[in-house]
Amino acid sequence: MSVNQQAHTGPPYGQPQPGYQGYQQPAYGAQSLPGVPQSQYGAYNGPMPGYQQPVPPQGSLRAPPTSGAPPPTSGASHPSGHLAYSQFEHGDVQNGIPASAAPMQRPPASQPFLPGSAPTPVSQTSTFQQYGPPPASVQQLSNHMAGMTIGSTAASAPPPAGLGYGPPTSVPPVSGSFSATGSGLYTPYSTSQGPPPTSVSQGLPLAQPPFPGQTVSTQRLPTQVPGFAPPPPSTGVGPSSYPPTTGAPRPPAMPGPPLPGQTVAGPPSSQPNHVSSPPPSTMAGLHPGPPMGGLHGPSPPTHPPQPGYQMQQNGSFGQVRGPQPNYGGAYPGAPNYGSPPGPPPPPKRLDPDSIPSPQLNELPPQQKPRHRIDPDAIPSPIQVIEDDRNNRGSEPFVTGVRGQVPPLVTTNFLVKDQGNASPRYIRCTSYNIPCTSDMAKQSQVPLAAIIKPLATLPPEETLPYLVDHGESGPVRCNRCKAYMCPFMQFIEGGRRFQCCFCSCVTEVPPHYFQHLDHTGKRVDFYDRPELSLGSYEFLATVDYCKNNKFPSPPAFIFMIDVSYNAVKSGLVRLICEELKSLLDYLPREGNMEESAIRVGFVTYNKVLHFYNVKSSLAQPQMMVVSDVADMFVPLLDGFLVNVNESRTVIASLLDQIPEMFADTRETETVFAPVIQAGLEALKAAECAGKLFVFHTSLPIAEAPGKLKNRDDRKLINTDKEKTLFQPQTSFYNNLAKDCVAQGCCVDLFLFPNQYLDVATLGVVPYQTGGSIYKYAYFQLETDQYRFLNDLRRDVQKEVGFDAVMRVRTSTGIRATDFFGAFYMSNTTDVEMAGLDCDKTITVEFKHDDKLSEDSGALLQCALLYTSCAGQRRLRIHNLSLNCCTQLADLYRNCETDTLINYLAKYAYRGVLSSPVKTVRDALINQCAQILACYRKNCASPSSAGQLILPECMKLLPVYLNCVLKSDVLQPGPEVTTDDRAYIRQLVTSMDVAETNVFFYPRLLPLTKADVDSDSLPAAIRNSEERLSKGDIYLLENGLNIFVWVGVSVQQSLIQNLFGVSSFSQISNALSTLPVLENPFSKKVRSIVDMLQGQRSRYMKLIIVKQEDKLEMLFKHFLVEDKSLSGGASYVDFLCHMHKEIRQLLS
């Protein structure tokens, strides 16, 4: 979603509903304040719902306070017209796995609920009414999480195949009743369940086993009633607002059972399609059940622990977990819901392998109002990140051992190179790869490496050593040409070495000979980086240079659009002012006095203006080339100059450019000739270099590469959607190829006010290894700071020119596929005109033979490039991986963040050739296969009703859902075609840390920050229910930073942070936080600066006030919630994945 977009100002999804006036702030869990009139029902198709935290009554529906429940943030105030964030947020059956695509009648959209009661604990006797057509059997009441239990044995039969998550349909109950078989805490669900449902009808809950000792009365409803039981009056429980998946009716919200002594009033028949329901019948003789702890169902069957979940340790669920990272233990003063809280449930044995599994309609209606899955009970990214930091952040990561899985990208750790490349350079999807291709196919885990050859290291780590072997150059294998590395085996007393990649034996050159010690190691092992380290550089000889001659230092050419838009917005003046000082910061080698890079300047609109800035001139000279069809550079001498020598002439030019074009009326621009001009200039100077192009509009002027406006939103969700991502002409592909051959890299800064065709203009930057920066609706006062920061970093960062990368592997696997910003003229060499420290190349490997567990697998990435001083170098990264014959070893050594990085890039490339829906389905299917294979081959036997995830992949569903909901694969109505093309290209060369925060943004409660420490406040999960309206939060995703301010934030905090006295005075137009002299302001600004420093682009700061029009944009990034564009919530998607896995297993 582009933040530059004008925010959508329409009413918040659905109109204000009656009953919202005067709706006040409920206490935790949406318990109302006494005497406050309750809202009746939520807006139809409400906004992205958060799953509200349930009320924990006695016999609580959730874990006791000790289990790390969230703080009382859930109730947010809802002035009229705004939607409650209630615990009923997601309607009834919709949450689960729909059982069929059978047409269904539309249930009443929003039933008015009568005020006055609270959901009760299950232990009360309560009235109970069936939802939908009559059940086929006895309707029974069970633990509120039936079938979502941890370690339960059976649940219902798998739903029918082939359904998307969406319409609220469900499976009819199975016939046959269940006897309570165990006298444990709950009845274990024995396999005495009846046959699976055979027919699908509308929205029926499955029959449930009763609590021990319960008697259950049967109830039948007239078949024609599409409505549902009258909900009991609800106290303080916000209504459901659950936007349906496209076109599906919104299911009714179902409240909890009434308090003792309450009667249940039927809903007024205000819906046109509502048929009044029959009177409720009562469930006889419900004995108070034991207090229900969190999400625990019946005692799990005992099996030996597996590499699956250690529940207690990950904190994702279970009684035993410690407090969630930022929720201090219990919710402060857990409120008393009308009855004293029950005693804490006795600790339960948890099945170490399972997490609650969504069963279709296992919940009886009066318990279905809230999620069948407690969001706190499913794997939490925050918890996993926190655990990894605590477990692995303190020790250095020593790379001496083969196949070690590194700490997560979110953990701060120090690397000690002892023979394998640092994870900052290479990360793999798995560090233990299957020995055979059959095993790899069976698991469906892609084998890929995300390589960032020029990654920046933290100051405390050593840069790769530069090794100079003189005239003879680096020592290599005779056959496969692999470079000398720690895994080469010296034999025959050191006179020869056996290649670790191809096993060929090569003579050691005389100058390189050294004796071996008693272990077979060379005695100079520790003196030579290439024998003892995973990463190092060789100085390349002339044989590694183009045309067998050493390269000249590279050049930077600044090409500025001076059309009407660029001048009027103040952009031209801004760029010229900045360049005056920025040219002193061109990249240079460590010990050089000044940069060797030469610079040149071009301005353009429909024609091009070249400038002679030779140091001997008193004034710069301008030369105009109007024949854009046949581009040439009108001057050689004086176009590319040394900054220090021509300083005064350059300064004079930069002063004059804004004046020269101040009165321009030219609105049309050219684009391709600009790149051709830069390319010709570099050719003439016989050097590589980079073009910095500042461009504002679609190039419609008559010239090569002229484009037309082809933006067409009607193509979205059609088979032709892929054309929106493809360039509209092949002209730019050919131009890119010429640029790569010359080592001409293009960085493009775009300032569009309308459609610009990023998909086409981006081809050259993308294929030359360059970058694209986009500032839609550029405004000087709000965007200049971000643009200038990006420009400074882009000009100053380390970059290699004329680069070629090759990845070699040991026998058994080979590199088969590559993703990133580069060009390939053959199947092995990745060519980049420029490669900077932020770019990654993703390489996928396939088996071409068997591997052995003993020797493992090796990869060597060799990058040949020209440094910014014009030195030709080879950078080598080596990595050794383990090989396995057991699938469990593969699943134990995967890295989900890297897997998601690969899958996103794979999908984002897929949209170029396939319909988006096909790409999404393929992603879901692949991940379901990965998890089904684990379930089938590695997990201990248990019922199909359980969802079992490998420990290191337990976040795969939540992260995958984020990828599926991203703007490229599921755009909201406000996402432009250009935004999607921009994001698609951006993600393709992101590293793992960037995709991690891009897909699952970081959300920090600023009001919880300790102003006296340097640390960040503990992050919280990306869901609206985690936000409290009395707090201020910061959300960052690598491109934007949102500061969300709740409506009830203390006035002193607002004063301290924004320098204004009330919430209403906070300005949305702020692009930086005001500098105020107080601890809170300093702390928040230091957090923002710290986050900006961690990202490769300067993030746009956006202030969002709760209930403001920008809040919709902010909610788009709360990725655990349902998205406005139809993306599933995390809970729903987990159910969907479970369904897919069960289908594969059956």
Side-chain angles (χ1 to χ4, degrees):
M1 151 151 336
S2 164
V3 169
N4 298 315
Q5 222 63 13
Q6 302 305 320
H8 174 63
T9 51
Y13 294 79
Q15 297 307 319
Q17 301 285 349
Y20 263 77
Q21 287 72 19
Y23 182 70
Q24 288 185 22
Q25 159 63 2
Y28 172 72
Q31 172 175 267
S32 71
L33 306 171
V36 175
Q38 289 311 311
S39 84
Q40 289 186 297
Y41 40 85
Y44 181 47
N45 277 1
M48 294 190 225
Y51 330 109
Q52 203 45 336
Q53 278 318 358
V55 183
Q58 146 230 352
S60 159
L61 298 188
R62 22 177 312 155
T66 49
S67 66
T73 58
S74 39
S77 86
H78 314 297
S80 55
H82 276 261
L83 294 137
Y85 319 16
S86 87
Q87 78 220 45
F88 295 172
E89 235 11 72
H90 289 228
D92 194 63
V93 199
Q94 177 104 12
N95 251 347
I97 307 145
S100 87
M104 16 162 217
Q105 290 161 279
R106 166 186 170 126
S110 45
Q111 298 297 342
F113 296 170
L114 295 179
S117 77
T120 49
V122 178
S123 51
Q124 259 82 15
T125 318
S126 65
T127 48
F128 169 82
Q129 179 123 19
Q130 185 66 29
Y131 169 64
S137 81
V138 179
Q139 167 67 46
Q140 294 158 325
L141 176 66
S142 86
N143 158 5
H144 89 295
M145 282 290 177
M148 293 284 322
T149 50
I150 294 179
S152 72
T153 328
S156 71
L163 298 169
Y165 33 106
T169 55
S170 57
V171 182
V174 281
S175 45
S177 109
F178 305 80
S179 57
T181 45
S183 60
L185 212 44
Y186 300 119
T187 323
Y189 300 158
S190 60
T191 42
S192 63
Q193 257 174 276
T198 45
S199 69
V200 172
S201 77
Q202 227 176 291
L204 291 182
L206 280 157
Q208 302 294 325
F211 288 110
Q214 276 173 346
T215 52
V216 181
S217 74
T218 319
Q219 163 171 0
R220 301 188 68 79
L221 287 185
T223 349
Q224 80 281 6
V225 177
F228 59 89
S234 68
T235 305
V237 171
S240 153
S241 50
Y242 187 80
T245 335
T246 338
R250 172 169 161 281
M254 288 292 218
L259 283 171
Q262 272 177 341
T263 53
V264 177
S269 306
S270 58
Q271 289 313 107
N273 60 351
H274 177 72
V275 183
S276 55
S277 311
S281 82
T282 329
M283 282 201 82
L286 253 163
H287 303 304
M292 292 203 224
L295 202 56
H296 314 278
S299 313
T302 36
H303 12 83
Q306 259 288 318
Y309 267 157
Q310 288 316 319
M311 289 305 203
Q312 295 87 330
Q313 158 248 321
N314 67 39
S316 304
F317 22 91
Q319 301 285 78
V320 207
R321 67 159 170 216
Q324 288 258 29
N326 45 337
Y327 313 147
Y331 3 112
N336 205 343
Y337 294 89
S339 55
K348 249 178 236 138
R349 289 212 22 205
L350 292 176
D351 176 353
D353 266 336
S354 69
I355 69 164
S357 53
Q359 280 308 318
L360 195 46
N361 298 14
E362 307 256 275
L363 298 186
Q366 88 262 43
Q367 287 174 323
K368 258 194 247 180
R370 53 169 303 259
H371 277 297
R372 267 142 312 150
I373 307 182
D374 178 352
D376 274 343
I378 51 182
S380 154
I382 303 303
Q383 190 67 46
V384 171
I385 288 169
E386 197 69 20
D387 290 346
D388 193 75
R389 278 192 187 133
N390 296 337
N391 299 336
R392 306 198 62 181
S394 48
E395 295 294 305
F397 178 68
V398 181
T399 71
V401 183
R402 182 173 85 188
Q404 271 189 111
V405 183
L408 298 182
V409 281
T410 42
T411 299
N412 255 333
F413 60 99
L414 200 65
V415 179
K416 289 202 169 147
D417 185 342
Q418 291 193 359
N420 281 293
S422 160
R424 301 190 207 289
Y425 295 124
I426 306 183
R427 277 186 178 264
C428 293
T429 51
S430 178
Y431 288 80
N432 201 331
I433 61 181
C435 282
T436 65
S437 61
D438 290 347
M439 243 178 105
K441 282 194 190 96
Q442 188 186 355
S443 74
Q444 287 286 315
V445 176
L447 306 175
I450 316 291
I451 305 174
K452 194 176 182 183
L454 298 179
T456 313
L457 299 183
E460 54 275 20
E461 291 178 22
T462 323
L463 291 171
Y465 289 99
L466 182 59
V467 179
D468 184 358
H469 282 316
E471 300 269 306
S472 58
V475 178
R476 304 174 70 175
C477 165
N478 271 346
R479 184 200 286 159
C480 70
K481 300 291 183 245
Y483 294 87
M484 180 53 65
C485 72
F487 311 118
M488 297 290 192
Q489 191 66 46
F490 286 89
I491 53 176
E492 297 176 23
R495 285 188 291 281
R496 294 175 166 202
F497 67 91
Q498 183 170 25
C499 177
C500 49
F501 295 94
C502 71
S503 305
C504 172
V505 174
T506 302
E507 293 283 333
V508 173
H511 71 88
Y512 197 70
F513 173 79
Q514 186 54 267
H515 294 285
L516 308 183
D517 67 11
H518 64 285
T519 63
K521 263 186 188 167
R522 285 173 51 125
V523 295
D524 61 353
F525 177 79
Y526 290 108
D527 305 333
R528 292 194 176 272
E530 74 274 20
L531 298 180
S532 54
L533 299 177
S535 301
Y536 42 86
E537 291 199 313
F538 291 122
L539 205 52
T541 59
V542 75
D543 309 335
Y544 292 87
C545 303
K546 250 187 211 156
N547 308 328
N548 275 17
K549 65 179 197 190
F550 284 112
S552 311
F556 282 0
I557 304 176
F558 297 92
M559 316 186 92
I560 305 167
D561 174 345
V562 287
S563 63
Y564 177 73
N565 275 348
V567 174
K568 185 189 67 169
S569 66
L571 182 63
V572 173
R573 187 174 296 279
L574 181 69
I575 294 168
C576 292
E577 279 303 311
E578 178 61 27
L579 286 179
K580 286 184 203 168
S581 54
L582 188 54
L583 293 177
D584 288 332
Y585 296 97
L586 299 177
R588 54 179 170 215
E589 293 295 319
N591 48 6
M592 294 173 60
E593 292 287 309
E594 61 176 54
S595 175
I597 292 173
R598 291 168 297 162
V599 297
F601 302 89
V602 172
T603 55
Y604 67 94
N605 38 46
K606 262 176 27 176
V607 298
L608 276 75
H609 323 107
F610 293 81
Y611 297 93
N612 183 345
V613 282
K614 198 174 177 180
S615 55
S616 54
L617 296 173
Q619 280 295 321
Q621 294 172 348
M622 173 176 174
M623 297 181 185
V624 180
V625 176
S626 52
D627 180 7
V628 289
D630 182 20
M631 187 42 64
F632 66 98
V633 179
L635 72 162
L636 281 180
D637 194 26
F639 179 62
L640 293 178
V641 296
N642 173 294
V643 174
N644 280 344
E645 290 170 12
S646 298
R647 182 174 298 280
T648 49
V649 194
I650 291 172
S652 167
L653 170 67
L654 294 172
D655 284 336
Q656 289 175 38
I657 288 174
E659 307 309 327
M660 274 191 285
F661 299 100
D663 301 324
T664 186
R665 285 281 163 267
E666 184 53 75
T667 55
E668 292 188 354
T669 56
V670 296
F671 184 70
V674 181
I675 292 172
Q676 286 171 325
L679 172 61
E680 292 303 323
L682 294 177
K683 269 187 188 163
E686 296 186 346
C687 68
K690 186 182 268 199
L691 313 182
F692 295 84
V693 182
F694 304 93
H695 189 76
T696 60
S697 59
L698 191 69
I700 53 173
E702 212 41 67
K706 171 186 173 180
L707 301 178
K708 58 181 192 291
N709 186 337
R710 54 163 188 161
D711 188 16
D712 186 0
R713 291 193 60 85
K714 291 199 283 296
L715 297 180
I716 290 178
N717 293 327
T718 68
D719 286 352
K720 288 199 174 144
E721 184 171 4
K722 56 179 181 266
T723 58
L724 298 176
F725 295 109
Q726 298 164 352
Q728 59 174 281
T729 156
S730 61
F731 181 88
Y732 288 96
N733 294 75
N734 298 327
L735 181 55
K737 186 175 165 184
D738 295 342
C739 287
V740 172
Q742 181 54 43
C744 168
C745 175
V746 179
D747 279 358
L748 183 55
F749 293 81
L750 296 172
F751 306 88
N753 289 331
Q754 55 196 22
Y755 178 72
L756 190 75
D757 203 347
V758 174
T760 306
L761 297 188
V763 167
V764 178
Y766 185 67
Q767 294 193 11
T768 58
S771 306
I772 307 177
Y773 297 85
K774 181 163 159 286
Y775 311 88
Y777 309 107
F778 179 80
Q779 288 179 310
L780 209 58
E781 56 282 3
T782 53
D783 295 317
Q784 69 168 33
Y785 197 60
R786 178 165 64 111
F787 160 58
L788 292 178
N789 273 285
D790 282 341
L791 177 59
R792 285 167 197 156
R793 191 164 189 282
D794 197 56
V795 166
Q796 295 172 38
K797 66 185 170 189
E798 183 188 354
V799 59
F801 294 95
D802 235 338
V804 184
M805 187 183 97
R806 184 176 283 195
V807 178
R808 293 179 173 82
T809 52
S810 55
T811 319
I813 52 169
R814 64 197 165 85
T816 53
D817 207 353
F818 300 86
F819 305 82
F822 53 73
Y823 172 79
M824 288 186 84
S825 57
N826 58 34
T827 56
T828 54
D829 294 338
V830 174
E831 299 173 48
M832 293 153 288
L835 173 67
D836 63 49
C837 54
D838 298 322
K839 296 280 186 303
T840 62
I841 293 95
T842 301
V843 186
E844 187 180 6
F845 302 97
K846 290 263 181 358
H847 287 75
D848 57 6
D849 203 348
K850 280 202 172 85
L851 295 164
S852 90
E853 283 188 280
D854 299 338
S855 52
L858 300 172
L859 34 140
Q860 182 178 79
C861 160
L863 176 78
L864 175 64
Y865 70 101
T866 302
S867 75
C868 53
Q871 203 177 47
R872 201 69 176 149
R873 295 182 176 181
L874 281 152
R875 179 168 289 202
I876 313 293
H877 298 297
N878 303 286
L879 187 62
S880 59
L881 303 172
N882 286 328
C883 297
C884 58
T885 51
Q886 298 297 316
L887 283 165
D889 292 329
L890 163 70
Y891 284 101
R892 214 177 270 124
N893 292 280
C894 286
E895 214 210 8
T896 301
D897 293 325
T898 311
L899 194 55
I900 287 292
N901 179 289
Y902 165 83
L903 290 171
K905 290 171 180 178
Y906 185 78
Y908 281 18
R909 184 177 67 184
V911 297
L912 291 172
S913 51
S914 308
V916 171
K917 183 179 186 317
T918 311
V919 172
R920 292 166 49 81
D921 292 347
L923 265 185
I924 293 174
N925 184 42
Q926 180 167 6
C927 289
Q929 287 190 318
I930 290 172
L931 297 174
C933 173
Y934 172 79
R935 171 65 191 259
K936 185 176 171 190
N937 299 290
C938 310
S940 41
S942 56
S943 89
Q946 288 176 285
L947 172 56
I948 300 183
L949 302 171
E951 174 63 26
C952 66
M953 281 190 190
K954 63 188 177 194
L955 298 181
L956 190 60
V958 62
Y959 287 162
L960 178 70
N961 191 33
C962 297
V963 174
L964 293 169
K965 286 158 67 164
S966 63
D967 291 336
V968 173
L969 298 181
Q970 193 162 35
E974 67 305 310
V975 181
T976 66
T977 307
D978 274 347
D979 289 329
R980 297 178 74 197
Y982 174 62
I983 295 297
R984 195 192 77 76
Q985 296 199 359
L986 206 57
V987 168
T988 307
S989 48
M990 276 185 183
D991 71 8
V992 181
E994 288 171 317
T995 49
N996 176 273
V997 77
F998 179 76
F999 289 117
Y1000 193 92
R1002 175 150 57 162
L1003 182 59
L1004 304 173
L1006 294 179
T1007 23
K1008 306 267 193 303
D1010 178 358
V1011 292
D1012 301 321
S1013 88
D1014 293 338
S1015 61
L1016 291 173
I1020 59 172
R1021 290 172 64 171
N1022 284 194
S1023 172
E1024 189 173 356
E1025 65 165 4
R1026 310 278 168 177
L1027 304 179
S1028 148
K1029 63 176 189 175
D1031 287 323
I1032 301 175
Y1033 298 85
L1034 179 150
L1035 181 143
E1036 62 125 357
N1037 74 338
L1039 296 183
N1040 310 300
I1041 288 183
F1042 292 90
V1043 174
W1044 183 90
V1045 187
V1047 286
S1048 312
V1049 171
Q1050 290 170 13
Q1051 189 253 327
S1052 59
L1053 284 176
I1054 292 175
Q1055 183 71 53
N1056 284 343
L1057 188 57
F1058 299 103
V1060 295
S1061 55
S1062 73
F1063 178 80
S1064 58
Q1065 293 174 300
I1066 299 170
S1067 162
N1068 286 56
L1070 291 175
S1071 58
T1072 54
L1073 291 170
V1075 177
L1076 303 171
E1077 286 303 311
N1078 65 70
F1080 185 59
S1081 171
K1082 285 179 183 165
K1083 176 66 184 175
V1084 172
R1085 281 180 291 114
S1086 80
I1087 289 174
V1088 170
D1089 291 345
M1090 181 172 162
L1091 298 180
Q1092 293 283 22
Q1094 291 171 2
R1095 306 288 167 225
S1096 60
R1097 291 168 181 247
Y1098 196 83
M1099 296 181 279
K1100 178 173 185 167
L1101 181 75
I1102 300 167
I1103 308 294
V1104 178
K1105 292 151 72 175
Q1106 187 178 358
E1107 292 161 13
D1108 185 68
K1109 60 177 192 277
L1110 272 174
E1111 200 180 23
M1112 281 300 154
L1113 178 56
F1114 171 75
K1115 286 179 181 176
H1116 177 77
F1117 296 97
L1118 298 175
V1119 290
E1120 288 197 21
D1121 296 344
K1122 232 176 145 63
S1123 75
L1124 293 174
S1125 51
S1129 67
Y1130 174 18
V1131 171
D1132 291 354
F1133 184 70
L1134 200 59
C1135 298
H1136 181 68
M1137 282 303 285
H1138 185 205
K1139 187 191 102 177
E1140 295 281 324
I1141 292 165
R1142 287 174 61 177
Q1143 264 173 18
L1144 289 169
L1145 292 174
S1146 61

